[in-house]
């Protein structure tokens, strides 16, 4: 995958929940994805089934499926209709075809397994993922919300080559698992650089906070890419410009420390 920009598009760009900006219209979603692909941002992460459906429609409209690297998690449509976002469900054999249909594609570039504590069930998921790899339905396997114990407990022969976890200046809990993943030669993707959009509102420095928080994560030697939800196409270009600004200055570092201390 292209690492030149160090950024991927978060699937929360396609749903109303989990963000402070209004939901983007279909036309705006198409413009957001087009802006990403036009600027070398190929990775598009989808957590919830609603995000997969939305992205599938967008890529079909744009005719640019082959330019995108789709990541998909195991959050499925519940049996009973609900406005609430579903929780993760361990993979079963039928899930891969459901996901492919939602996305309108014949493969998922990175299948994400949300970690949990049932080791037997987790082992079954790894076996399913290996079967789907062999069948060409997925291209690689990642662990989502990964913890150090999850990597340490992987069997000798496993298909995992990537980890994802929240990581930002306010939440450093993923440092251990990221270091382990680095040592194992896995790709590391950081989630939630701003925690959520409303953290920016709490900080109150709209001109400075997004750029400082994003650069802090993207410049970490532990991170290959940071996944950012963006509900306006101009955010794509703006964030790319932010990433080109280089290392945080001393005054920016001091400002960031002040924010972190304020919210301890």
């Amino acid at each position: 995958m292209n690492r030149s920009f160090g950024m991927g598009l978060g699937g929360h760009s396609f749903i109303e929940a989990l963000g402070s900006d209004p939901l983007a219209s279909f036309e705006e979603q198409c413009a957001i994805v087009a802006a990403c692909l036009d600027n070398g941002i190929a990775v598009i992460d989808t957590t919830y089934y609603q995000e997969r459906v939305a992205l599938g429609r967008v890529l079909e409209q744009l005719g640019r499926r082959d330019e995108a690297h789709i990541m998909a998690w195991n959050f499925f449509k519940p049996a009973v209709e609900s406005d609430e976002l579903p929780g993760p469900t361990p993979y079963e054999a039928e899930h891969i075809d459901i996901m492919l249909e939602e996305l309108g594609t014949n493969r998922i570039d990175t299948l994400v397994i949300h970690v949990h504590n049932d080791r037997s069930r987790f082992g079954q998921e790894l076996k399913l993922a290996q079967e789907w790899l062999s069948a060409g339905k997925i291209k690689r396997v990642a662990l989502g919300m990964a913890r150090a114990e999850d990597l340490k407990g992987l069997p000798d022969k496993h298909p995992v080559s990537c980890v994802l976890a929240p990581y930002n200046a306010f939440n450093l809990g993923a440092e251990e698992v990221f270091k382990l993943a680095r040592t194992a030669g896995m790709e590391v993707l950081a989630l939630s650089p701003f925690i959520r959009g409303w953290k920016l509102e709490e900080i109150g420095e709209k001109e400075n906070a997004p750029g400082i928080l994003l650069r802090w994560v993207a410049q970490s030697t532990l991170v290959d890419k940071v996944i950012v939800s963006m509900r306006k196409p101009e955010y794509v270009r703006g964030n790319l410009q932010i990433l080109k600004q280089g290392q945080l200055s001393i005054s920016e570092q001091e400002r960031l420390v002040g924010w972190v201390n304020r919210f301890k």
Side-chain angles (χ1 to χ4, degrees), residues 6 25-26 28 35 37 56 58 63 98 102 106-107 140 146 155 166 169-170 174 177 180 192 196-197 224 244 246:
S25 67
F26 178 69
E28 290 170 326
L37 298 178
V58 167
I98 292 172
E102 290 169 341
N106 63 354
R107 84 271 182 202
R140 71 169 185 171
F170 298 90
V177 70
L180 288 172
S192 304
R196 294 294 184 212
D224 292 299
K244 293 178 181 179

Side-chain angles (χ1 to χ4, degrees), residues 127-141 159:
K127 290 180 180 178
L128 274 176
Q130 187 61 63
E131 292 174 7
W132 296 339
L133 275 169
S134 299
K137 292 186 175 183
I138 65 175
K139 298 302 180 183
R140 71 169 185 171
V141 181

Side-chain angles (χ1 to χ4, degrees), residues 75-150:
F75 289 69
F76 300 100
K77 186 175 182 178
V80 178
E81 289 294 335
S82 172
D83 293 332
E84 296 183 4
L85 294 174
T89 299
Y91 284 111
E92 300 285 356
E94 69 273 12
H95 282 149
I96 187 63
D97 291 328
I98 292 172
M99 299 171 83
L100 293 174
E101 182 177 359
E102 290 169 341
L103 285 161
T105 187
N106 63 354
R107 84 271 182 202
I108 291 171
D109 299 295
T110 298
L111 183 86
V112 184
I113 302 175
H114 191 293
V115 301
H116 52 81
N117 294 324
D118 186 334
R119 304 313 298 173
S120 176
R121 192 75 179 272
F122 179 64
Q124 294 172 8
E125 291 181 276
L126 290 176
K127 290 180 180 178
L128 274 176
Q130 187 61 63
E131 292 174 7
W132 296 339
L133 275 169
S134 299
K137 292 186 175 183
I138 65 175
K139 298 302 180 183
R140 71 169 185 171
V141 181
L143 295 187
M145 308 303 287
R147 306 161 299 189
E149 57 264 35
D150 299 311

Side-chain angles (χ1 to χ4, degrees), residues 28-75:
E28 290 170 326
Q29 292 175 11
C30 288
I32 292 165
V33 173
C36 286
L37 298 178
D38 289 346
N39 287 281
I41 301 172
V43 173
I44 306 178
D45 182 39
T46 62
T47 303
Y48 301 99
Y49 75 92
Q50 298 99 319
E51 298 171 2
R52 294 194 291 273
V53 172
L55 178 60
R57 291 172 178 169
V58 167
L59 290 175
E60 180 181 21
Q61 176 69 21
L62 296 176
R64 302 181 69 172
R65 165 62 185 96
D66 289 343
E67 298 176 56
H69 182 109
I70 297 175
M71 306 184 73
W73 297 57
N74 46 321
F75 289 69

